[in-house]
């Protein structure tokens, strides 16, 4: 392994890579995993990688966990789908969707959890824990089960999608539903982890984000060692945008690519503290008390990774936008019907955001664009039932007549 340390992004204080520390003990800043890139040679890496299948662990030289002890369910290697029908509707030259719903538990969280839970085992953790809007808990529950570790998840009561809750329960996690928001749940679980020695696997855990950065390596490889002009993705707790940016920066640092993409974050109208900070050019994030959106995965008022994410947007010369719930559901339907990709509402925010940024002239139509679809549509079936049209109920004797009427071919 080529890991050097855990380094505070605010004050620069360093911690040993095997320390159980989530934020800087001196200043409370977020931590980043640092590597000795000088010991890694691009040509050698490319040669080794060319012999391995597309997956998170393909890139083990740039990961902080011991691959010989990996806790894996076959994560990563998701499709980068060229979306020609949607592209032509939007008038865009080259549009792709990186479909993270193809991961083992149906979301991008698995990229982080395979590393985070492997690390938990390495560090001798007795149990894992997280707060969640749904997907983190589903993923952590599955990987903890695979590792044989007890798992505690705290979710905001009545506020997470059914499919995700069911996954956590199925994998045997202890699920506490608290009266409050995701942000309240995260505060509680952080306190618990400090006091009881549970291993925290929210995205404040720097090791978890290392797994998530592999999306950048995969996109580059799937485009034939090309870097897109833009990556468009939903922002909740703001870990993923930070992680993916790090991945692209590393490829440039190693001399594997020369360019980096502009990172474009999308938030939902009722839960957009990060977007507002960027749009208003503020130094600090002002948390939102009661976030609300149909996209429950990103219903977050106090994104813990805001400072890393701000750096990602600023350094990459990217941007942010805000979309309404209606735009999110419309985008979800469009993607499902034009491209055969059924994604959950938070994921569709990336498409809704693209539409908006094209209209605003922020993104131009001749760019190469990758939208990240972060989770599978089946996670949240109730949205479809609520917002799409009802199925037709019909007596069996009238099927032919009704079909003729409905399909206009009677
Ligand atoms: N999309 C989906 C489907 C998510 O589940 C999440 C986050 C995000 C986007 C936002 O990613 O937090 O890295 O900015 N879900 C977390 C959870 C918070 O608990 O499952 P982020």
């Amino acid at each position: 392994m080529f890991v050097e340390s855990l380094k505070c992004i605010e004050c620069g204080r360093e911690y040993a890579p095997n320390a159980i520390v989530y934020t800087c003990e001196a200043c409370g800043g977020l931590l980043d995993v640092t590597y000795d890139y000088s010991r890694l040679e691009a040509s050698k890496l490319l040669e080794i990688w060319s012999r391995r299948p597309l997956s998170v662990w393909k890139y083990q030289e740039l990961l902080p966990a011991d691959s010989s002890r990996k806790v894996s369910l076959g994560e990563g290697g998701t499709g980068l789908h060229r979306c020609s029908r949607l592209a032509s509707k939007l008038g865009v030259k080259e549009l792709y969707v990186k479909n993270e719903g193809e991961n083992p538990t149906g979301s991008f969280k698995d990229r982080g959890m395979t590393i985070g839970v492997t690390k938990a085992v390495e560090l001798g953790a007795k149990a894992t824990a997280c707060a969640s809007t749904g997907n983190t808990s589903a993923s952590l529950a599955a990987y903890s089960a695979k590792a044989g570790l007890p798992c505690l998840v705290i979710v905001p009561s009545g506020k997470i999608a059914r499919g995700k809750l069911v996954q956590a329960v199925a994998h045997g996690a202890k699920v506490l539903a608290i009266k409050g928001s995701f942000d309240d749940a995260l505060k509680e679980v952080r306190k618990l982890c400090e006091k009881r020695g549970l291993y925290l696997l929210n995205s404040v855990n720097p090791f978890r984000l290392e797994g998530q950065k592999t999306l950048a390596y995969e996109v580059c490889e799937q485009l034939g060692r090309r870097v897109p002009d833009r990556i468009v993705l939903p922002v909740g707790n703001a870990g993923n945008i930070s992680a993916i940016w790090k991945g692209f920066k590393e490829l440039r640092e190693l001399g594997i690519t020369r360019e980096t993409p502009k990172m474009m974050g999308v938030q939902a109208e009722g839960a957009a503290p990060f977007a507002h900070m960027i749009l208003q050019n503020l130094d600090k994030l002002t948390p939102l008390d009661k976030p609300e959106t149909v996209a429950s995965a990103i219903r977050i008022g106090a994104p813990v990774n805001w400072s890393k994410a701000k750096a990602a947007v600023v350094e990459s010369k990217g941007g942010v936008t805000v979309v309404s719930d209606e735009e999110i559901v419309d985008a979800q339907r469009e993607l499902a019907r034009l491209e055969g990709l059924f994604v959950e509402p938070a994921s569709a925010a990336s498409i809704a955001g693209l539409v908006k940024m094209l209209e605003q002239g922020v993104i131009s139509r001749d760019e190469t664009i990758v939208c990240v679809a972060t989770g599978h549509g089946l996670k949240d079936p109730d949205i479809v039932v609520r917002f799409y049209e009802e199925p037709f109920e019909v007596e069996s004797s009238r099927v032919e007549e009704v079909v003729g009427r409905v399909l206009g071919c009677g």
Side-chain angles (χ1 to χ4, degrees):
M1 268 189 284
F2 300 90
V3 178
E4 277 185 333
S5 70
L6 292 171
K7 188 170 182 181
C8 174
I9 65 164
E10 304 294 342
C11 73
R13 185 164 166 177
E14 294 193 69
Y15 300 85
N18 58 356
I20 298 191
V21 52
Y22 308 105
T23 48
C24 180
E25 284 163 0
C27 75
L30 296 168
L31 302 179
D32 184 32
V33 181
T34 66
Y35 298 81
D36 183 358
Y37 297 114
S38 67
R39 289 173 51 217
L40 289 158
E41 218 180 283
S43 57
K44 262 203 197 123
L45 278 180
L46 291 171
E47 203 273 313
I48 299 171
W49 292 350
S50 72
R51 286 186 261 125
R52 300 184 188 140
L54 203 64
S55 69
V56 167
W57 290 95
K58 168 173 187 154
Y59 308 102
Q60 57 189 252
E61 289 73 16
L62 292 173
L63 293 170
D66 179 356
S67 62
S68 69
R69 301 171 75 177
K70 68 182 167 209
V71 181
S72 172
L73 294 167
E75 49 294 316
T78 58
L80 183 70
H81 301 270
R82 179 107 194 225
C83 292
S84 309
R85 297 186 72 210
L86 183 58
S88 87
K89 180 150 187 196
L90 300 178
V92 168
K93 199 181 84 193
E94 208 178 339
L95 173 62
Y96 300 85
V97 165
K98 181 71 168 158
N99 191 21
E100 290 291 280
E102 293 169 31
N103 276 298
T105 77
S107 85
F108 71 97
K109 306 287 180 178
D110 298 342
R111 290 184 188 272
M113 288 309 173
T114 186
I115 302 301
V117 174
T118 299
K119 207 69 204 170
V121 172
E122 262 178 49
L123 296 171
K126 295 283 171 280
T128 60
C130 71
S132 183
T133 57
N135 282 320
T136 296
S137 58
S139 183
L140 181 59
Y143 283 83
S144 299
K146 178 81 178 168
L149 286 173
C151 170
L152 169 75
V153 308
I154 306 188
V155 298
S157 181
K159 300 240 171 83
I160 80 166
R162 216 151 36 104
K164 305 174 188 179
L165 186 66
V166 165
Q167 285 179 291
V169 173
H171 293 300
K174 293 288 167 255
V175 182
L176 290 188
I178 63 156
K179 289 182 184 141
S181 65
F182 164 80
D183 305 294
D184 298 326
L186 186 53
K187 261 188 232 148
E188 289 309 316
V189 85
R190 286 180 79 165
K191 271 194 267 172
L192 255 172
C193 287
E194 289 286 324
K195 275 202 186 141
R196 302 266 175 136
L198 304 169
Y199 192 63
L200 179 66
L201 272 160
N202 279 100
S203 55
V204 68
N205 182 316
F207 295 122
R208 206 194 97 184
L209 290 185
E210 294 302 292
Q212 290 175 214
K213 75 185 179 183
T214 57
L215 183 140
Y217 310 155
E218 287 187 10
V219 165
C220 173
E221 198 161 325
Q222 287 170 309
L223 288 175
R225 213 168 314 144
R226 218 158 37 101
V227 168
D229 297 304
R230 309 258 175 185
I231 298 281
V232 187
L233 78 165
V235 173
N237 225 4
N240 210 28
I241 191 168
S242 317
I244 296 171
W245 173 237
K246 180 172 182 183
F248 281 112
K249 269 199 306 188
E250 286 181 325
L251 292 179
R252 187 180 56 187
E253 167 89 31
L254 289 162
I256 291 173
T257 59
R258 266 194 262 162
E259 318 285 330
T260 48
K262 295 184 171 71
M263 302 300 296
M264 311 304 289
V266 185
Q267 291 206 296
E269 236 165 43
F274 178 74
H276 287 140
M277 175 188 66
I278 299 284
L279 292 170
Q280 290 162 27
N281 227 341
L282 304 175
D283 288 338
K284 276 205 156 94
L285 182 127
T286 309
L288 188 70
D289 228 10
K290 290 198 168 54
E292 202 36 83
T293 165
V294 70
S296 59
I298 52 172
R299 198 185 281 142
I300 293 175
V304 290
N305 289 298
W306 68 264
S307 53
K308 277 187 182 174
K310 183 168 182 251
V313 169
V314 172
E315 287 172 17
S316 73
K317 301 189 171 51
V320 290
T321 196
V322 174
V323 292
S324 69
D325 280 0
E326 198 184 344
E327 289 164 335
I328 289 174
V329 177
D330 285 350
Q332 184 191 32
R333 197 189 291 113
E334 288 277 281
L335 189 61
R337 295 188 176 181
L338 290 174
E339 299 293 344
L341 298 173
F342 181 31
V343 306
E344 69 168 280
S347 311
S350 62
I351 305 294
L354 169 64
V355 171
K356 183 145 281 179
M357 290 188 281
L358 287 168
E359 281 164 10
Q360 292 167 338
V362 174
I363 297 183
S364 77
R365 290 185 155 75
D366 60 358
E367 296 185 28
T368 301
I369 301 155
V370 172
C371 288
V372 183
T374 42
H376 199 285
L378 283 175
K379 295 258 187 183
D380 198 355
D382 297 333
I383 295 301
V384 178
V385 176
R386 234 169 85 201
F387 289 93
Y388 291 34
E389 66 273 1
E390 293 285 318
F392 293 94
E393 194 175 73
V394 64
E395 300 289 339
S396 55
S397 58
R398 294 185 55 229
V399 167
E400 213 174 314
E401 173 205 331
V402 172
V403 165
R405 196 147 40 85
V406 171
L407 298 179
C409 58

